[in-house]
């Protein structure tokens, strides 16, 4: 298998705060999923206005996360995601950086919840083939930190070749699919980790 392109390492608090904006996160995830789209197409997909999306796309472009692509009608050129994934870096001792990282993760989780709810709301109208192909699973594992790290890396290695911007052999009937993976120490209501 060919080596996959690296994720963009994001370890600048200012960029992380820019990414934490819900609309910017939605725009970036949308462009990553579907490829080049105009600000008007983005607006329809994320529930905003074309002018608002255009402004936020320009902000993302300042950080090198999106760029204008070729094509369009001359009046409005499409935008495309420049990255094939983001690496938010390790959580460290810098409280400003950690706060910004957590804000991005929160924005990602909100976006994932919204996508999941839209899927569930439209479930009855979906093609049965797509409805049957999906799945939502929860697992409670008993692992060491090293095992969890290996598991997360193995899942990434399995899934990443199918990422929209990376995949080269995409079948004609393929559609964008959301896949979210969360792996973390279980914390109970009392704020303590499970034993």
């Amino acid at each position: 298998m060919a080596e996959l392109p690296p994720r963009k390492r994001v370890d600048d608090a200012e960029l992380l705060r820019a990414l934490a904006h819900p609309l910017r996160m939605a725009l970036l995830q949308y462009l990553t999923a579907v490829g080049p789209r105009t600000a008007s197409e983005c607006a329809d997909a994320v529930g905003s206005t074309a002018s608002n999306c255009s402004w936020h796309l320009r902000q993302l472009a300042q950080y090198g996360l999106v760029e204008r692509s070729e094509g369009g009608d001359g009046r409005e050129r499409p935008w495309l995601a420049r990255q094939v994934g983001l690496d938010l870096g390790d959580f460290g001792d810098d409280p400003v950086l950690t706060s910004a990282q957590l804000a991005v993760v929160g924005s990602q989780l909100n976006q994932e919840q919204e996508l999941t709810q839209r899927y569930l709301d439209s479930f009855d109208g979906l093609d049965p083939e797509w409805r049957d192909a999906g799945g939502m699973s929860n697992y409670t594992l008993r692992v060491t930190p090293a095992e969890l790290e290996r598991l997360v890396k193995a899942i990434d290695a399995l899934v990443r070749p199918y990422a929209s911007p990376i995949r080269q052999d995409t079948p004609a009937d393929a559609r964008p699919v959301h896949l979210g993976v969360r792996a973390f120490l279980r914390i109970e209501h009392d704020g303590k980790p499970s034993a």
Side-chain angles (χ1 to χ4, degrees):
M1 178 185 295
E3 185 174 329
L4 298 175
R7 287 182 172 88
K8 177 179 178 60
R9 178 77 176 220
V10 182
D11 53 10
D12 173 76
E14 182 181 343
L15 172 52
L16 287 164
R17 282 191 295 273
L19 270 175
H21 189 284
L23 182 56
R24 290 181 195 154
M25 181 60 65
L27 288 167
L28 188 57
Q29 288 185 356
Y30 176 66
L31 291 175
T32 301
V34 301
R37 295 293 189 269
T38 65
S40 296
E41 291 168 318
C42 289
D44 290 340
V46 301
S48 188
T49 65
S51 61
N52 195 28
C53 287
S54 184
W55 189 86
H56 284 287
L57 287 164
R58 287 192 305 274
Q59 298 305 304
L60 290 169
Q62 287 180 358
Y63 292 104
L65 298 173
V66 301
E67 67 184 5
R68 295 286 196 160
S69 74
E70 298 302 318
D73 63 6
R75 215 177 28 134
E76 187 175 30
R77 284 184 29 216
W79 292 89
L80 74 134
R82 292 192 59 214
Q83 306 307 319
V84 294
L86 300 175
D87 174 358
L88 301 182
D90 296 329
F91 291 89
D93 297 330
D94 180 351
V96 172
L97 185 59
T98 299
S99 176
Q101 289 167 311
L102 291 173
V104 172
V105 171
S107 185
Q108 289 173 327
L109 290 174
N110 288 337
Q111 177 71 12
E112 185 168 320
Q113 178 61 32
E114 184 177 326
L115 289 170
T116 303
Q117 191 60 55
R118 286 199 312 244
Y119 169 76
L120 294 174
D121 290 346
S122 63
F123 189 80
D124 290 337
L126 294 175
D127 180 326
E129 185 177 31
W130 280 105
R131 203 171 45 220
D132 296 343
M136 293 187 206
S137 302
N138 290 299
Y139 305 94
T140 299
L141 311 175
R142 188 166 289 275
V143 296
T144 66
E147 288 173 325
L148 182 58
E149 184 176 359
R150 282 195 307 272
L151 180 60
V152 169
K153 286 180 180 178
I155 292 169
D156 183 69
L158 178 67
V159 171
R160 202 149 189 270
Y162 294 94
S164 296
I166 296 173
R167 189 164 188 194
Q168 300 297 313
D169 62 342
T170 307
D173 61 342
R175 309 257 316 261
V177 170
H178 178 78
L179 174 68
V181 177
R182 300 177 201 162
F184 49 82
L185 183 63
R186 183 180 169 97
I187 306 297
E188 302 306 337
H189 284 285
D190 62 7
K192 297 177 184 171
S194 296

